[in-house]
Amino acid sequence: MSTKINIGSALQKHVRKYTLNDKLRSITSLLGDEAQDVIDWAYTEARRRIKENPKEKEADLGRIVYDLISNEAAIVLVKQNHSRGRLTTKSEIKAKTGQKVEMPVLYREAGLRHPQEARNLRHNLFHEAFHTLIMHLFPDVTTSVPSTGEGLTPDLLVEHMDPDWLISVEYKGYRSITLLSESELLKGMRYQAAYGTAWLVTTTTKSVKDVYPKTVHSKELIEQGLSRLRRIYRHRAYTNEQRENRGIAKKGITHLEKQKDLDMKCRLWSVEELIESMKQGKPVKGLIITTGFEFIDLLKKEGFEEEAESVLRVMKLPTASLHSDKVTSVRLIE
C-alpha cells in the first residue's frame, strides 16, 4: 500500500487486529487515485452512523470504515469487469475486498443489473401470486420457508391445523418454452417422500409429466431423462433462448446423474384432485404438477386477474424485459 495514503489510526487498528493488510492493499489498488478521498469520506460517514445509531459504538469506527471502503472497492471492481464484458462473482469480491455481499444488491449500487435479479423477480412474482391464491382458498393456513434439511428445501410449506396437514410447494418460474424435464419431476418426488405431498407449480407449457403413467418410478425417470436432456444439450445454441435451454439441460443432467442410485416411486395427481382433498382435510399423498396456463386459470377462476397477468409475464417475457414496480427483485421473498 502506498505510504502517501493516510488510513487513520482506527482503520489501521482494525486491519492489524484481523490481519487484513493484503485486503487493504487490494482495496486501495482498486480505488486507485480516489483511495484517499474514499477513506476520508468513510471516516465522516462512519462517525455520522455512530452518532445516529445507538447500537454502534466509537470502538466500531475502524470496522465501519473498512466496510465502507471495501464496498466502494467492490463497486469499482463490478464496473471494471462489466466494461470488459465480465460477470463479477461473489468469490472474487471476497478474495479482493474481504466482503460477503449480495451480488444483485452490489450490482444495483454500481448502477447495473445482475442476472440473478431477473431470476429473483420471476420467483418473487410467482410467490406473490401463489401466496394470494392459497390464502384465499384456505384462509386458516400458515406458510413458511424451510431453512434446514439435507438439500430438501422447497420454496414454501403450507400447514393447516385442525385437521393437521402439510404440503410442500416448489415454484419453477421459467420461460414458457422451457421443458419441465425429468430432473424437476425427480426433485418433486424427493419432496413428496419427505413431506407426503409435493406441489410443483410452474410457468412452463412443456412438461414430460404426460408421457408417464399415474405411478412414476425414479429409475425410469432418470433413464429417460438423461436420454432426453443429452439430446437437448447436444443441439447447437445460436440464440440466447437456446443457450438458456442448454444450460438448464446441463444442470438437469448433473442432477439426474447424482441421483442414479435413487429407488422410489410416487403417484401423480391433478391439481383439482389436490385442492379438493385439501378441502376435505386430507391432502392426497403424491406429486402434483401444475403448468403455467393451469396456474393462470386457477388464479382467474378466483378473480385474481392482476396476479394471473404477472404469471403470464414471467412465462412470456425474456430476462431483460421483465420488471415490476411492486415486487422486489434484489432478494428472494421469504
Side-chain angles (χ1 to χ4, degrees):
M1 191 189 74
S2 172
T3 55
K4 295 180 182 178
I5 298 176
N6 176 21
I7 67 169
S9 59
L11 179 56
Q12 192 172 49
K13 184 178 178 181
H14 179 76
V15 168
R16 190 183 300 123
K17 181 178 179 181
Y18 294 100
T19 60
L20 296 169
N21 290 290
D22 289 343
K23 292 289 189 291
L24 184 59
R25 273 191 288 271
S26 175
I27 289 167
T28 54
S29 175
L30 285 166
L31 294 173
D33 294 338
E34 304 294 322
Q36 188 64 66
D37 289 341
V38 172
I39 290 172
D40 293 344
W41 161 80
Y43 269 99
T44 302
E45 174 63 15
R47 290 191 177 100
R48 183 191 67 79
R49 293 186 183 188
I50 290 169
K51 185 177 180 181
E52 294 181 0
N53 187 353
K55 292 182 179 179
E56 303 284 10
K57 301 176 182 177
E58 190 64 32
D60 297 322
L61 180 62
R63 173 186 59 78
I64 298 171
V65 169
Y66 180 84
D67 288 344
L68 288 168
I69 65 171
S70 60
N71 192 67
E72 290 299 308
I75 290 172
V76 170
L77 180 59
V78 165
K79 289 179 176 179
Q80 286 179 356
N81 283 343
H82 182 74
S83 68
R84 298 168 187 152
R86 284 187 55 217
L87 190 67
T88 308
T89 64
K90 188 180 290 188
S91 59
E92 186 181 10
I93 295 294
K94 184 72 165 27
K96 292 186 177 179
T97 71
Q99 286 290 85
K100 291 181 179 179
V101 295
E102 290 186 67
M103 295 310 296
V105 176
L106 181 61
Y107 262 66
R108 181 165 287 193
E109 289 176 345
L112 303 168
R113 193 183 194 201
H114 191 270
Q116 183 65 40
E117 269 209 65
R119 291 193 289 273
N120 287 352
L121 183 55
R122 290 182 193 281
H123 178 282
N124 291 348
L125 285 169
F126 222 52
H127 172 86
E128 291 288 279
F130 181 83
H131 197 264
T132 299
L133 177 67
I134 202 72
M135 296 307 294
H136 170 74
L137 292 174
F138 304 97
D140 49 351
V141 298
T142 57
T143 62
S144 61
V145 178
S147 56
T148 58
E150 299 175 1
L152 287 172
T153 51
D155 290 319
L156 199 70
L157 290 178
V158 179
E159 187 172 7
H160 188 278
M161 305 295 288
D162 193 26
D164 294 343
W165 53 258
L166 176 78
I167 69 167
S168 62
V169 183
E170 178 78 359
Y171 314 130
K172 286 298 166 189
Y174 296 140
R175 294 280 300 283
S176 62
I177 57 171
T178 306
L179 173 72
L180 185 78
S181 73
E182 284 84 357
S183 172
E184 302 301 346
L185 265 68
L186 187 65
K187 191 181 292 183
M189 287 179 69
R190 295 178 67 215
Y191 289 141
Q192 188 275 323
Y195 297 100
T197 302
W199 189 357
L200 188 58
V201 190
T202 83
T203 49
T204 185
T205 56
K206 298 195 298 184
S207 169
V208 297
K209 68 172 182 175
D210 295 328
V211 305
Y212 290 95
K214 282 291 185 182
T215 300
V216 293
H217 294 260
S218 57
K219 291 190 179 298
E220 182 185 4
L221 272 182
I222 293 168
E223 183 180 330
Q224 293 195 34
L226 285 171
S227 176
R228 193 189 315 275
L229 291 173
R230 283 168 179 158
R231 283 200 302 273
I232 295 172
Y233 186 64
R234 281 196 295 266
H235 290 168
R236 289 188 177 181
Y238 300 103
T239 67
N240 285 336
E241 288 175 0
Q242 289 170 338
R243 282 190 284 271
E244 185 177 347
N245 272 341
R246 282 193 78 213
I248 292 171
K250 184 178 182 181
K251 186 177 179 181
I253 291 167
T254 302
H255 175 239
L256 289 175
E257 286 177 337
K258 284 182 179 177
Q259 306 295 332
K260 269 188 173 180
D261 296 330
L262 210 60
D263 187 9
M264 59 171 56
K265 64 179 180 179
C266 83
R267 172 76 185 269
L268 295 178
W269 299 90
S270 71
V271 67
E272 291 79 15
E273 289 172 317
L274 170 66
I275 291 174
E276 184 57 35
S277 68
M278 289 163 70
K279 289 178 178 177
Q280 297 298 322
K282 192 175 182 180
V284 290
K285 300 296 182 184
L287 175 62
I288 298 85
I289 300 164
T290 304
T291 60
F293 287 125
E294 288 174 334
F295 187 33
I296 286 173
D297 286 344
L298 282 174
L299 290 164
K300 286 185 173 180
K301 182 181 176 183
E302 302 301 329
F304 299 119
E305 295 289 338
E306 186 177 342
E307 287 76 5
E309 181 61 30
S310 290
V311 174
L312 187 61
R313 285 171 54 225
V314 171
M315 290 173 65
K316 294 194 173 297
L317 290 179
T319 297
S321 303
L322 195 65
H323 69 278
S324 173
D325 295 328
K326 294 182 179 179
V327 179
T328 180
S329 62
V330 176
R331 294 180 179 88
L332 291 177
I333 292 175
E334 292 190 2

